[in-house]
Amino acid sequence: MALDSSKTTDFKYVGTRPDRPDGLDKVTGRAKFGADATAPGMLFAAIKRSPHAHAKILKIDASKALAMDGVKAVVTRADFAEGLTGETWNVLENVMAGETALYDGHAVAAVAATSALIARDAMKAIEVEYELLPHVTDVDKAMAADAPVIRAGAADASVPEGLHPNVVRYYESGHGDVEAGFAEADLVIEDHFTTEATHQGYIEPHACLGTLGADGKGELWCCTQGHWNVQKLCAAMLGIETSQLRVTASEIGGGFGGKTTIFIEPVALALSRKANRPVKLVMTRAEVFRASGPTSSTSMDVKIGMKSDGTITAAQGTFRLQGGAFPGGPCEMTAMCAFAPYNLTNVHQVGYDVMTNRPKQAAYRAPGSPMAAFAVESVIDELCNQLGLDPFEVRLKNASREGTRASFGPKWPRIGLVETLEAARAHPHYTAPLKEGQGRGISCGFWFNHGGETSVSLAMSEDGSAQIMVGTPDIGGSRASMALMAAEVLGIPYENIRCTIADTSSLGYNEISHGSRVTYASGLATIKAAEAAVEELCRRAAAKWDIPEEAVYWEDGYAKPSGPNAGDHAPLHITELTADMGATGGPINGHFEATPEGAGVSFATHIVDAEVDPETGATKVVRYTVVQDAGKAIHPTYVEGQFQGGAAQGIGWALNEEYIYGEDGRLQNAGFLDYRIPVASDLPFIDTVIVEVPNPGHPFGVRGVGETSICPPLAAIANAVSNAVGVRMRQLPMRPSRVLEALESKDG
Amino acid sequence: MQYFKPATFEEASALAAGAEGITRFLAGGTDVLVQLRSDLVTPDVLIDIKAIPGTHDITRTEDGGWRLGVAVTGAEMSEHPDLGRDWPGVVEAMDLIGSTQVQGRATPIGNLCNASPAADSVPAMIAAGAVLSVVGPDGARDIPVEEVPAGPGKTTLKKGEIATALTLPPRGAQGGDAYLRFIPRTEMDIAVVGCAINLTVEGEVITSARMALGAVAPTAVVVHAAADALVGRTLDDAALKALTDLAEASCNPIDDKRGTVKFRTHTAGVLARRVAQIAYDRAKGAKA
Amino acid sequence: MSKTHVTAKVNGDAVEFLCDPRETLLDVLRDRLGLTGAKEGCGTGDCGACSVTVDGRLVCSCLMLGVEAEGKEIGTVEGIADGETLHPLQKKFIEYAALQCGICTPGILIAAKSLLEKNPDPTETEVRYWLAGNLCRCTGYDKIIRAVMDTAAEMREAS
């Protein structure tokens, strides 16, 4: 009997809002984050970083540092494995520079000492000789013929001939005949858009505590979104076997994609091996900005044709992404997401991944999608304005629906875009009056969501309670969601389940917590593991009753005989089956491991009102509403939290956040003072509407929710500001000086 | 770095006069510690002046002004029952600096002696006619606030000289001051432009005016001509226009990551209008 | 390098420590006293994750030297609860899910507690401006502000 607990209604636990299991630890200060771990004999480390945007490393002299009291080890690239290839080589090259420092902040050496102060002093005493090389930090300039080459031969086979060597990947897709489509249009608008690099801005700097012995066995504690990935990469870089390194994920103080890769972990391990002591390494905030992974900056061209009735006849987009000094700018995802909300007969999209002398980009919440949406949804808004059409009507008219063909190829399964548009249009926000100086903007957004390799174990205790071990670090309250889903299957209270993030030695492989995959994939695996335990519980009941196991079914925590033919047996509660499990066949556990591929895509529609001070160009977001398809909200409060968090990050990106580089190629705002993320007084309350169009690929209908929420805000806010000032805003962030210039251009 | 906590100003001054290398005085530390942490300035000698008696006091002077000890914080100024009634612009300017947490430590005298061109409290203190008292190896002296900053990060204080207190003049009847700054967010930013104005009126007519701008030049700018533009007039549209032009003409800013020359110059004019209106309304009796 | 001997009180308990004059109060709390509730998010007073009270005054512990703690009374997140009884703010933060990752939570709790002690009936705007120095990247502040407002209302009713 294969139990199937799939359902989309009549939940007992799913959809409720219990307290999170890590709540008490987090309000009392005892939750242990990356920098909160200690070990006996622990050393402290600091990293020496390049002050230059591009420079050949001629000589590293650590003799003065090593002569200082308390200094125990210095490492450089020579202390890491050789012969790595592909992305592992790229990551190592980013973790510790080889022959060339590729950006301001690139690590060139590291030191471990008996105190943090000594380590810092010793780091400053390491002397590095550089030969400066020409640099480029702007995406368009990096593609120009005269741009300095960051690294020859970095391009892959996707790149057409004739492009600058800094173009390292190329993507193209589409269908139909866009030229014919534009010819059919009553109005064609083509515009150029740019966005600046932004940082994930997690409040917890990267931190780790590593121990590695000469025997090749190691322990690593770190804040990460994926500790198996850390294990694999670190082992390769240290030249040890993967299984010999046990990695434990700490509580994570925010990641948003930025902690899906590694920066400092192999350095702590290399220092530990050399000093034969545990080594703690914590980034400063300035290091986080200079040397962890921000998102790409972009240069984009979008052209859309529309009939006077609002039908889109053709759409074309070119998206150039700057991903730092390595391949990886998410050009294909940007291009694929761009027109995803629309059912188009003629569409064509092109993406370029371009290297510059900036830090290696890392994932940031729906990588690439927010920028694409900014360009596309701005052009649609302008078409609506010029043709005098309602922005909701136009979007509904052209919306992707089940069975229509996606802009990047496949046919859509059941999707919820139309439902979010209709819910947004019906929301009182859309018809609320605007005040003088205010403008309203709407935008749709799309994200793929992801499944990925997943392992979960569930174990029953004799008292009928259950423990779940999952391998996806909890970045948004997922332990609560796992416990709710297991409670639903087992039929025991939420409180009787403890969910733990297992270390790499305690569970099979798990992909990173990324792609909004955790509630979907670990959730699916948790349900399947719980079903496996329930099947065993039913077998034990069958044995006690001496009836076939097919004649037993599970309901609300009880094994019950399936009908009169099965015999007149009183239901057995789970506690009656676990109490003597040692004597009836041994421990009762459930496991599941697979790579689920039914992650349901997610769409959202946002409405925002912005108010612009016409004298200074300052913009304030005065009202914000998020409408998004969650498939099924397991813990609605945390779903709302994801919606609100994504919107808030989008507001920062749209208005004030940006990496600012000087002519010297150095980052000028490596701190929270001048990298301006929204503060509490910048934001209004953020309304949320959870739409639930169940995902057929998940037993309870879950769709990932974490990333889609940041896709519409850039465009929605740009549309609101543009409508407030009467001038199309094509560059982000919309800092006050830019808005003021737009106003002047209108008046002049 | 050596840390000292002297019990008197004389002791503090002697320590500073005899110190080698970089000396910093520590009151609130909200600049000193940031510079230390960011490796911008690591002092060789750090002299904590908060143990000196009287440094936390806010007292009325005999002539009806105010004397603020060198360690008086922004939070203490905001919480004071009377200071803000006399000098709301000075108190509000100080209160704009940093977070609630920073307010618990930051001092206006520190803000002045850190000599940032963008210091929020400095234009307000200049407009108010505040005076800094210092003691040093050559004795005590009083310096008008506008003469303290010498350029970004530099003051006119001599080696061994230490600030002891700030004096605000008597408010007098029918006076009002105000300060506004422009920042991209609503809090936590460094001023892109700051403007302070202090006025007195008789009825509707302005009888005295002092204006200062921040973040538009290497040091805060005293706009002396503001008096010519305003005194003897009401704050009508023509006066506001004249003030706007004057503010813009007084700017000598730079392009940097926080703002452009053009934006700073334009916004100085906008702020001048807005600040003048608040100060004028206050002078005429509006409650702060 | 010579260290300074400092005597202070943390959450009501007498403590003594030796510290380098360059160490901040935050360094001392975390590395010398084992109180890791206060977090370092920036080290420059911009994020508020290290918020503590010193003689009842809300400050960033990263912007105060350890040596300055001599004779002071320090309050940290570890001292908010009364035994097993949580402070009303702690309860409401869990109830409202006013935290996602939780790294900013200790600082926000300390700051919010300091606000409610000074102003038991703050407006939404007052809460937002009081907490403007406490960065949160996860929540958009929505549930944090609601939790603080509701705690204030409940504490007013209880008193």
Side-chain angles (χ1 to χ4, degrees):
Chain A
M1 177 192 81
L3 187 74
D4 181 4
S5 34
S6 296
K7 59 178 174 179
T8 57
T9 56
D10 299 326
F11 292 103
K12 182 169 182 184
Y13 298 102
V14 163
T16 62
R17 302 171 183 243
D19 292 347
R20 60 193 292 159
D22 51 330
L24 185 69
D25 283 352
K26 286 181 173 170
V27 300
T28 53
R30 43 175 203 251
K32 277 179 80 178
F33 290 86
D36 296 338
T38 55
M42 180 175 87
L43 301 175
F44 298 81
I47 294 180
K48 181 82 175 178
R49 296 184 181 278
S50 166
H52 306 300
H54 198 191
K56 195 166 172 52
I57 301 166
L58 300 177
K59 186 180 170 194
I60 300 172
D61 180 357
S63 55
K64 284 180 187 153
L66 285 163
M68 293 169 67
D69 281 347
V71 173
K72 299 297 178 188
V74 169
V75 295
T76 64
R77 180 61 175 273
D79 294 279
F80 295 89
E82 291 179 7
L84 303 179
T85 56
E87 183 60 8
T88 309
W89 183 87
N90 283 333
V91 177
L92 174 58
E93 183 74 6
N94 188 44
V95 161
M96 190 63 71
E99 293 172 0
T100 309
L102 295 164
Y103 56 90
D104 167 38
H106 199 171
V108 295
V111 55
T114 51
S115 82
L117 284 172
I118 295 172
R120 225 173 101 194
D121 289 343
M123 178 270 285
K124 288 182 226 166
I126 296 173
E127 293 169 352
V128 187
E129 271 181 48
Y130 296 98
E131 177 193 326
L132 298 194
L133 300 171
H135 65 268
V136 61
T137 55
D138 176 80
V139 60
D140 289 321
K141 287 179 186 163
M143 293 175 79
D146 60 347
V149 176
I150 313 293
R151 190 170 59 250
D156 72 13
S158 66
V159 181
E161 277 186 34
L163 291 172
H164 191 283
N166 291 339
V167 180
V168 289
R169 293 186 312 128
Y170 176 84
Y171 170 86
E172 184 177 1
S173 68
H175 54 253
D177 181 341
V178 289
E179 289 312 321
F182 288 130
E184 286 175 39
D186 292 311
L187 180 62
V188 177
I189 292 182
E190 181 173 16
D191 256 329
H192 180 66
F193 297 87
T194 61
T195 65
E196 294 299 333
T198 56
H199 194 273
Q200 298 82 353
Y202 34 81
I203 308 301
E204 179 198 34
H206 298 265
C208 68
L209 172 58
T211 309
L212 181 59
D215 59 358
K217 292 183 169 58
E219 299 275 340
L220 179 67
W221 160 276
C222 61
C223 53
T224 176
Q225 289 176 242
H227 37 314
W228 275 269
N229 185 53
V230 174
Q231 179 195 38
K232 191 167 60 180
L233 287 169
C234 287
M237 290 172 195
L238 275 305
I240 61 172
E241 287 172 354
T242 303
S243 298
Q244 296 300 336
L245 179 64
R246 181 170 76 137
V247 184
T248 305
S250 70
E251 290 292 345
I252 176 172
F256 317 112
K259 289 176 183 167
T260 56
T261 183
I262 59 169
F263 300 101
I264 56 171
E265 294 80 359
V267 179
L269 289 168
L271 285 164
S272 173
R273 179 162 63 184
K274 215 161 183 178
N276 204 19
R277 305 257 293 262
V279 171
K280 181 170 179 171
L281 182 44
V282 182
M283 272 193 180
T284 64
R285 177 52 54 182
E287 287 180 288
V288 172
F289 278 113
R290 288 171 73 205
S292 69
T295 193
S296 294
S297 57
T298 66
S299 158
M300 306 176 284
D301 293 291
V302 167
K303 181 178 181 183
I304 298 176
M306 193 177 278
K307 287 189 176 171
S308 53
D309 70 353
T311 306
I312 299 175
T313 58
Q316 188 167 42
T318 303
F319 305 92
R320 305 167 202 89
L321 280 85
Q322 167 282 130
F326 301 86
C331 63
E332 63 290 274
M333 290 192 280
T334 309
M336 289 163 85
C337 291
F339 301 109
Y342 301 108
N343 175 25
L344 302 170
T345 312
N346 307 300
V347 61
H348 182 236
Q349 51 254 329
V350 172
Y352 297 89
D353 176 9
V354 184
M355 297 210 305
T356 63
N357 292 112
R358 293 200 192 199
K360 187 181 194 300
Q361 71 84 38
Y364 180 21
R365 209 167 191 159
S369 182
M371 304 84 126
F374 163 55
V376 170
E377 297 283 314
S378 292
V379 173
I380 289 180
D381 195 63
E382 190 60 35
L383 284 161
C384 292
N385 286 354
Q386 292 193 22
L387 291 171
L389 299 170
D390 177 83
F392 273 115
E393 292 307 324
V394 166
R395 284 173 173 82
L396 278 164
K397 191 180 191 77
N398 296 283
S400 293
R401 296 162 195 261
E402 184 174 1
T404 66
R405 187 175 178 193
S407 52
F408 52 90
K411 279 218 162 39
W412 290 113
R414 184 81 181 93
I415 54 173
L417 172 61
V418 167
E419 287 80 353
T420 69
L421 278 163
E422 284 172 346
R425 185 173 57 176
H427 193 281
H429 182 171
Y430 187 57
T431 47
L434 287 167
K435 291 184 187 149
E436 182 71 28
Q438 295 181 346
R440 179 163 296 148
I442 69 161
S443 173
C444 297
F446 161 79
W447 186 243
F448 306 94
N449 295 328
H450 180 57
E453 294 164 81
T454 309
S455 311
V456 166
S457 276
L458 179 145
M460 298 304 307
S461 298
E462 286 190 341
D463 61 2
S465 64
Q467 59 191 42
I468 317 167
M469 285 143 286
V470 303
T472 39
D474 182 348
I475 56 176
S478 60
R479 277 167 292 193
S481 301
M482 298 304 132
L484 281 168
M485 285 184 268
E488 195 71 44
V489 177
L490 294 171
I492 62 175
Y494 165 84
E495 292 74 18
N496 290 8
I497 297 169
R498 177 167 182 151
C499 180
T500 303
I501 310 302
D503 65 61
T504 56
S505 295
S506 308
L507 189 66
Y509 185 83
N510 275 274
E511 211 173 291
I512 303 161
S513 293
H514 65 164
S516 298
R517 79 180 205 88
V518 173
T519 309
Y520 167 70
S522 281
L524 181 147
T526 295
I527 291 166
K528 297 290 177 194
E531 286 174 351
V534 164
E535 283 178 39
E536 183 59 26
L537 287 161
C538 288
R539 271 195 285 277
R540 302 291 167 97
K544 279 177 191 275
W545 292 330
D546 196 18
I547 62 174
E549 57 191 75
E550 293 81 10
V552 180
Y553 75 103
W554 191 260
E555 186 177 64
D556 205 15
Y558 287 88
K560 297 179 179 175
S562 57
N565 293 343
D568 183 21
H569 303 291
L572 279 169
H573 188 246
I574 192 167
T575 52
E576 297 171 89
L577 293 164
T578 54
D580 59 355
M581 64 185 177
T584 64
I588 298 176
N589 301 324
H591 307 279
F592 187 81
E593 41 272 326
T595 305
E597 288 177 350
V601 303
S602 169
F603 288 91
T605 302
H606 291 196
I607 312 173
V608 57
D609 296 349
E611 184 171 298
V612 176
D613 180 339
E615 288 193 315
T616 64
T619 298
K620 177 133 179 111
V621 171
V622 292
R623 186 164 182 185
Y624 205 107
T625 302
V626 177
V627 184
Q628 186 177 322
D629 177 15
K632 175 67 199 174
I634 301 298
H635 192 304
T637 309
Y638 301 156
V639 171
E640 292 163 6
Q642 291 299 314
F643 289 7
Q644 292 164 337
Q649 292 182 351
I651 291 170
W653 198 338
L655 296 180
N656 278 314
E657 294 179 33
E658 60 179 316
Y659 265 47
I660 303 171
Y661 279 89
E663 288 295 316
D664 57 4
R666 292 180 187 174
L667 182 62
Q668 296 195 337
N669 59 335
F672 279 134
L673 184 63
D674 286 302
Y675 184 89
R676 297 182 288 260
I677 77 170
V679 302
S681 49
D682 291 339
L683 300 181
F685 284 125
I686 297 168
D687 285 346
T688 56
V689 177
I690 302 174
V691 169
E692 294 185 323
V693 177
N695 167 24
H698 183 277
F700 296 161
V702 165
R703 297 175 193 269
V705 298
E707 291 172 290
T708 305
S709 54
I710 203 175
C711 301
L714 312 191
I717 298 160
N719 290 342
V721 173
S722 298
N723 292 331
V725 302
V727 180
R728 180 59 48 189
M729 300 302 298
R730 301 181 187 90
Q731 290 176 291
L732 299 186
M734 292 176 283
R735 43 179 123 92
S737 55
R738 272 191 178 142
V739 176
L740 201 59
E741 280 165 20
L743 281 161
E744 284 171 358
S745 74
K746 186 180 67 167
D747 298 339
Chain B
M1 186 176 86
Q2 286 182 289
Y3 171 82
F4 298 97
K5 197 162 72 172
T8 65
F9 283 114
E10 290 67 30
E11 197 188 328
S13 171
L15 276 166
E20 302 211 343
I22 300 167
T23 301
R24 284 286 185 276
F25 295 106
L26 177 65
T30 51
D31 288 312
V32 171
L33 265 76
V34 171
Q35 289 160 6
L36 178 67
R37 169 77 187 188
S38 312
D39 286 327
L40 293 172
V41 182
T42 302
D44 298 289
V45 174
L46 187 65
I47 303 170
D48 185 346
I49 53 177
K50 292 189 293 295
I52 299 171
T55 49
H56 298 273
D57 297 346
I58 300 176
T59 46
R60 273 266 189 218
T61 57
E62 281 179 17
D63 62 357
W66 293 96
R67 189 177 183 283
L68 278 60
V70 67
V72 166
T73 64
E76 287 163 347
M77 290 169 68
S78 295
E79 290 164 9
H80 195 278
D82 300 318
L83 180 66
R85 276 188 216 158
D86 278 6
W87 294 105
V90 174
V91 173
E92 287 166 2
M94 187 62 209
D95 186 53
L96 287 173
I97 299 168
S99 59
T100 316
Q101 288 83 339
V102 165
Q103 284 295 309
R105 297 262 297 170
T107 67
I109 295 177
N111 197 222
L112 175 61
C113 293
N114 184 55
S116 160
D120 285 303
S121 70
V122 173
M125 291 192 285
I126 291 172
V131 171
L132 184 72
S133 300
V134 303
V135 294
D138 301 330
R141 62 182 180 124
D142 288 341
I143 317 169
V145 161
E146 59 266 36
E147 292 172 22
V148 175
K154 293 193 178 67
T155 70
T156 54
L157 271 59
K158 298 172 197 145
K159 184 171 170 69
E161 279 193 326
I162 173 173
T164 58
L166 183 87
T167 305
L168 289 162
R171 170 65 277 179
Q174 293 197 296
D177 74 328
Y179 173 82
L180 292 175
R181 66 171 182 188
F182 182 82
I183 55 171
R185 291 183 291 189
T186 52
E187 272 281 4
M188 302 303 290
D189 291 335
I190 303 290
V192 180
V193 185
C195 176
I197 294 177
N198 175 28
L199 298 174
T200 55
V201 297
E202 271 184 36
E204 299 282 315
V205 179
I206 296 164
T207 54
S208 73
R210 270 176 74 80
M211 170 167 157
L213 295 166
V216 295
T219 62
V221 174
V222 190
V223 185
H224 295 289
D228 306 331
L230 296 178
V231 171
R233 310 170 65 164
T234 63
L235 196 67
D236 54 15
D237 287 350
L240 287 171
K241 174 73 172 73
L243 200 63
T244 303
D245 294 344
L246 190 56
E248 290 181 0
S250 304
C251 292
N252 179 27
I254 53 167
D255 278 324
D256 70 3
K257 62 189 172 189
R258 293 176 187 144
T260 60
V261 168
K262 187 181 168 197
F263 183 77
R264 287 189 154 113
T265 306
H266 166 84
T267 306
V270 174
L271 291 185
R273 282 197 297 277
R274 294 180 179 180
V275 172
Q277 193 64 57
I278 300 169
Y280 186 64
D281 291 344
R282 283 175 177 170
K284 290 196 297 172
K287 289 268 188 301
Chain C
M1 201 175 289
S2 66
K3 292 193 167 65
T4 305
H5 177 259
V6 178
T7 307
K9 273 195 170 178
V10 178
N11 300 326
D13 299 328
V15 297
E16 286 180 73
F17 54 87
L18 291 171
C19 76
D20 183 289
R22 285 192 287 165
E23 282 178 84
T24 64
L25 175 59
L26 178 62
D27 294 334
V28 167
L29 288 169
R30 292 179 54 84
D31 297 338
R32 301 205 178 271
L33 301 176
L35 292 168
T36 55
K39 307 299 180 191
E40 179 162 321
C42 68
T44 49
D46 299 312
C47 81
C50 67
S51 296
V52 301
T53 56
V54 176
D55 289 346
R57 177 74 73 186
L58 180 67
V59 301
C60 285
S61 59
C62 77
L63 287 188
M64 176 171 161
L65 295 174
V67 290
E68 292 183 82
E70 175 64 39
K72 304 287 186 193
E73 185 104 28
I74 316 291
T76 73
V77 71
E78 288 93 341
I80 292 183
D82 179 14
E84 64 179 343
T85 307
L86 294 181
H87 186 278
L89 277 166
Q90 292 173 307
K91 286 187 214 162
K92 285 286 175 206
F93 267 55
I94 296 175
E95 180 191 326
Y96 274 75
L99 55 105
Q100 283 180 33
C101 81
I103 195 85
C104 69
T105 310
I108 290 187
L109 286 168
I110 287 280
K113 179 166 174 277
S114 163
L115 168 64
L116 298 189
E117 283 162 4
K118 190 181 149 79
N119 179 359
D121 191 7
T123 63
E124 180 201 333
T125 301
E126 285 170 336
V127 176
R128 287 187 182 276
Y129 276 84
W130 183 273
L131 294 178
N134 290 88
L135 300 182
C136 169
R137 190 61 157 170
C138 293
T139 63
Y141 306 101
D142 186 293
K143 294 181 192 301
I144 292 171
I145 305 299
R146 292 181 197 278
V148 174
M149 300 285 290
D150 192 33
T151 307
E154 193 176 282
M155 288 175 76
R156 287 196 302 276
E157 271 174 36
S159 64

